[in-house]
Amino acid sequence: MNPILALARPDILEMEPYQHARWDPSLERLHANEMPWRAPGDNTLAGLNRYPEPQPQALIARLAELYEVAPENVLAGRGSDEAIDLLVRAFCRAGQDGVVVCPPTFGMYRVAARIQGARVIEAPLTADEFALDLPAVISAGQQARLVFLCSPNNPTGRLLDEEMVLEACRQLAANALVVVDEAYVEFATRTSLSRHLSEHPNLVVLRTLSKAWALAGARCGSLLAGADIVDLLRRIIPPYAITAATVDEVLELTELRQRAVVESRTGIIRRERERVRTGLTASPGVVRVHESDANFLLVRCRDPQQVMRAAAETGLLLRNFSRAPGLEGCVRITIGTPEQNDRLLAAVEQT
Ligand SMILES: *Cc1c(COP(=O)(O)O)cnc(C)c1O
């Protein structure tokens, strides 16, 4: 057993999981109280009258192939949001254990911790460059069960230093899981940290089809980790988390020919990102545009309200972060089509 499992909640380790109906496609199903006929007009592959396969093998195999890990290292869920929630629930005892977050960062880590009644310990990123403060992360991690690192980070856009992340894994090997959320890694020049999973039993990597794969509506995220961690989380994920429709769509829309489209489109987004960055930097109302390894830019503005208004007047909605600690004056702008980006640049130019 991976000794890291000793960090999980003891009651979860001992719990008898829900026994869902057996999955055996070679037999006719008179064991799950389903209707024997499809609803009129149901043309789906599997038939929506049937409960879907828990952790569908074909889907897991596909995700394992995309992310270049073994199937036993993949847990599929309803977006990475579900993986974040499962991790906190499995590893944090309410009122006792904590998680580390490095603000400014993605809000779901804190929300999931709050829902579970786990403490939130902050190890903020450095003020100007939004880099990891490694000594702070390690010292906070010693009092926590999970350390959430987001790379490239949302909403700041930069990758975290890979050596620092791996050093955090080493230093916290006996204390905490290091969870690296790579929702935007396809837009970066670096490859996934999942290649280090076998060296670091406390490393967990989160991937999603919601961003570069253009499948946010399908709700399909992956947690990549050692097989023992994946097994533990399979015990507590709701038994039929992935819908049959999602499985069909994801299998079809991640086929080989689709991957070339993803590559070429992420290439377009990267080039547009640099073009928009250059254009915004030259705008009088812009104080600084942070470098980005993702599909958005964090822009510090003289008057963020005015930038929000100017964008809205040309039909574009941006995300105002100017009230978040460490992000004074900042607006986050997702890179759109070249035409949308042109409109954005023209609007910000006027501020
Ligand atoms: C968008 C995003 C996700 C993706 O969440 P899903 O639930 O997979 O859609 C995860 N992490 C971060 C930091 C994100 O910005």
Side-chain angles (χ1 to χ4, degrees):
M1 184 178 98
N2 182 342
I4 208 74
L5 284 190
L7 296 176
R9 283 169 49 197
D11 45 339
I12 294 281
L13 286 171
E14 285 163 16
M15 185 185 82
E16 191 66 43
Y18 171 70
Q19 298 294 329
H20 52 68
R22 212 172 110 208
W23 182 263
D24 185 344
S26 70
L27 299 176
E28 291 167 47
R29 296 170 65 93
L30 296 184
H31 72 321
N33 300 348
E34 303 155 342
M35 279 304 256
W37 311 283
R38 291 173 175 234
D42 173 358
N43 300 317
T44 58
L45 223 55
L48 293 179
N49 53 323
R50 303 300 182 191
Y51 278 98
E53 185 185 358
Q55 294 293 299
Q57 269 184 41
L59 178 71
I60 296 290
R62 175 65 57 82
L63 295 168
E65 185 200 340
L66 291 183
Y67 298 139
E68 300 180 45
V69 296
E72 68 196 40
N73 299 120
V74 179
L75 178 89
R78 287 164 291 189
S80 3
D81 287 345
E82 178 158 56
I84 294 165
D85 181 60
L86 291 173
L87 282 166
V88 177
R89 286 208 257 168
F91 285 88
C92 294
R93 291 166 298 176
Q96 297 183 56
D97 300 319
V99 311
V100 176
V101 299
C102 301
T105 193
F106 189 46
M108 269 309 292
Y109 315 134
R110 180 185 298 274
V111 170
R114 285 277 166 79
I115 292 171
Q116 172 63 13
R119 274 184 310 132
V120 177
I121 309 167
E122 294 194 346
L125 299 175
T126 62
D128 277 343
E129 296 309 316
F130 300 126
L132 270 188
D133 178 347
L134 187 60
V137 169
I138 289 168
S139 125
Q142 278 155 356
Q143 312 155 50
R145 292 295 162 102
L146 301 168
V147 175
F148 285 103
L149 304 178
C150 187
S151 180
N153 186 41
N154 179 8
T156 60
R158 295 303 303 272
L159 281 164
L160 300 177
D161 182 83
E162 179 166 322
E163 238 338 284
M164 282 196 194
V165 175
L166 295 176
E167 186 57 24
C169 290
R170 279 189 283 271
Q171 301 263 347
L172 296 171
N175 302 94
L177 297 188
V178 175
V179 183
V180 184
D181 184 342
E182 294 186 332
Y184 300 97
V185 76
E186 290 92 344
F187 300 102
T189 41
R190 200 190 62 201
T191 55
S192 170
L193 278 171
S194 58
R195 65 192 189 283
H196 294 287
L197 281 177
S198 53
E199 297 149 59
H200 299 287
N202 62 332
L203 174 63
V204 175
V205 173
L206 305 181
R207 301 290 301 267
T208 181
L209 297 178
S210 294
K211 305 288 159 58
W213 284 91
L215 296 173
R219 308 308 301 134
C220 185
S222 299
L223 175 145
L224 314 178
D228 292 313
I229 295 175
V230 169
D231 282 344
L232 177 74
L233 298 175
R234 280 185 184 166
R235 295 160 64 100
I236 63 166
I237 192 170
Y240 308 106
I242 313 274
T243 71
T246 294
V247 176
D248 289 356
E249 286 154 7
V250 167
L251 288 177
E252 186 180 333
L253 299 176
T254 58
E255 275 175 4
L256 214 51
R257 64 194 149 77
Q258 302 277 349
R259 296 179 213 178
V261 177
V262 170
E263 294 247 323
S264 99
R265 288 184 173 177
T266 50
I268 295 171
I269 295 290
R270 275 196 292 263
R271 286 192 294 280
E272 282 293 298
R273 178 182 75 203
E274 296 317 308
R275 181 175 77 86
V276 173
R277 182 157 182 264
T278 308
L280 289 174
T281 305
S283 290
V286 169
V287 179
R288 177 170 181 190
V289 187
H290 287 274
E291 275 179 60
S292 171
D293 299 294
N295 65 336
F296 56 83
L297 290 166
L298 185 71
V299 184
R300 185 158 278 157
C301 312
R302 266 193 301 123
D303 183 349
Q305 282 299 346
Q306 202 192 341
V307 169
M308 294 294 295
R309 258 196 315 274
E313 274 165 25
T314 180
L316 301 171
L317 181 59
L318 313 179
R319 182 88 181 251
N320 189 349
F321 276 97
S322 58
R323 296 229 298 263
L327 296 176
E328 291 74 19
C330 286
V331 170
R332 191 191 65 193
I333 304 177
T334 306
I335 302 301
T337 63
E339 180 274 324
Q340 290 173 321
N341 301 335
D342 285 343
R343 258 195 293 147
L344 172 87
L345 286 171
V348 177
E349 182 94 335
Q350 308 303 317
T351 64

